[in-house]
Amino acid sequence: SGHTKVLQKLACRVCSKVLGIGSAERSWKKFKGNMSAERSKLSPKKAKMQATIASIHAAENNDQDRAKRMRAGVLWDDEDFATLHLDPHCLPLDCAHGDEVVQRTTQVFRGWLEDWEQESVGPKGCPIFERRILKKYGGLNFVDPVEGKVFSVHQDRTSFQKKKGANSYEMFCILDDFDDIVDDDNQEDKWEEWFRDVAIEEIAEYYNKHKELGVVVYKDGEINESDVDEEGKEDDGSVVDDM
């Protein structure tokens, strides 16, 4: 399963094998030439080997040609993106369609602990799982109901809580004047660790009050979980690595 929306589509189109029969036809043409009357004494194994080498050589020539075009800046143009159906994702906001503008400027927040968030994590953690936590919560704001402070969830850091059989990534929350360069011990009054099951309600409340910020909050049951695609097919769920 992919962890991005646009780049995974681009990667599939760019990195996938060509589905045409041209490569196969060239290989069989070379193999047929190796089995001609002039080379009738060539064993099938050697004929197959030479056909394989010829195919690899053709692929390497193609790679070199692509590298030359890339250096010349002519590898991709607007027509390529139109052919790949990636135009809507690449156009500037002032040129994009209305639905695309809304989609690119609106963040969906699922205001409950999703099933994938409650999976167990090994004692060494899992960077993919951590990245998913940051993707969901990173950069969001909420108000401390006790002290009234406005916290932001750090976009690049989490708090890894080790507990036998229940390791978890929690949120590293900061105030506006927090400085990433300064040691945490020298600014203890500017950050706090919050558990997701506590902060999630505060985040939902904050953005329900500030709808102009472009974050739409959904309750459990109003929208699919983030590991279910638009067709309702679940991802493989293999984001947690018990190292």
Side-chain angles (χ1 to χ4, degrees):
S1 61
H3 299 285
T4 64
K5 180 179 180 180
V6 178
L7 292 182
Q8 67 176 343
K9 295 180 180 178
L10 178 63
C12 288
R13 287 165 169 78
V14 174
C15 300
S16 299
K17 292 288 187 181
V18 179
L19 297 180
I21 63 172
S23 298
E25 290 288 351
R26 285 190 291 271
S27 296
W28 279 112
K29 180 179 179 180
K30 181 64 179 178
F31 187 84
K32 182 179 179 181
N34 290 337
M35 299 302 293
S36 62
E38 292 80 5
R39 310 194 67 185
S40 59
K41 295 183 179 180
L42 192 66
S43 66
K45 183 178 181 180
K46 288 185 177 181
K48 180 180 178 181
M49 184 182 299
Q50 290 190 7
T52 302
I53 293 174
S55 298
I56 295 174
H57 178 68
E60 290 178 348
N61 286 340
N62 184 58
D63 291 339
Q64 292 176 2
D65 182 59
R66 286 172 59 86
K68 289 180 181 178
R69 286 187 289 158
M70 182 179 295
R71 287 194 295 269
V74 295
L75 183 59
W76 295 97
D77 55 31
D78 292 341
E79 292 183 359
D80 293 314
F81 284 96
T83 302
L84 295 173
H85 304 292
L86 293 174
D87 263 0
H89 306 294
C90 304
L91 292 173
L93 288 178
D94 57 348
C95 300
H97 299 295
D99 293 342
E100 179 64 20
V101 172
V102 173
Q103 186 174 5
R104 288 162 59 180
T105 57
T106 303
Q107 179 177 353
V108 172
F109 179 70
R110 293 168 171 82
W112 72 93
L113 286 180
E114 302 177 67
D115 290 342
W116 64 265
E117 295 184 67
Q118 304 178 58
E119 296 285 344
S120 60
V121 182
K124 294 183 179 180
C126 174
I128 297 179
F129 187 80
E130 180 184 22
R131 182 50 54 184
R132 292 195 71 184
I133 293 294
L134 290 172
K135 180 181 178 181
K136 177 174 179 177
Y137 296 101
L140 296 177
N141 300 329
F142 66 93
V143 177
D144 184 341
V146 177
E147 300 185 7
K149 298 179 180 179
V150 179
F151 283 98
S152 296
V153 182
H154 203 292
Q155 294 182 325
D156 301 310
R157 291 179 58 181
T158 60
S159 174
F160 186 55
Q161 303 290 327
K162 284 192 174 184
K163 184 178 180 181
K164 188 175 182 179
N167 302 306
S168 64
Y169 285 100
E170 304 302 338
M171 298 187 297
F172 186 84
C173 305
I174 58 176
L175 299 176
D176 286 340
D177 53 352
F178 177 85
D179 192 342
D180 285 307
I181 301 177
V182 179
D183 190 89
D184 292 348
D185 295 336
N186 296 330
Q187 49 179 348
E188 292 183 348
D189 59 334
K190 299 178 181 178
W191 61 271
E192 291 182 10
E193 295 173 335
W194 281 70
F195 286 91
R196 284 175 284 131
D197 58 349
V198 176
I200 196 168
E201 295 181 3
E202 307 303 331
I203 294 174
E205 181 179 352
Y206 181 86
Y207 286 103
N208 280 329
K209 290 182 179 179
H210 300 279
K211 297 183 182 297
E212 72 280 1
L213 296 178
V215 177
V216 181
V217 179
Y218 289 93
K219 297 179 181 179
D220 189 7
E222 293 181 341
I223 189 175
N224 285 335
E225 295 205 359
S226 55
D227 58 352
V228 178
D229 64 19
E230 296 178 354
E231 297 178 354
K233 298 179 181 178
E234 294 185 1
D235 285 343
D236 59 12
S238 56
V239 298
V240 178
D241 185 8
D242 291 328
M243 298 181 180

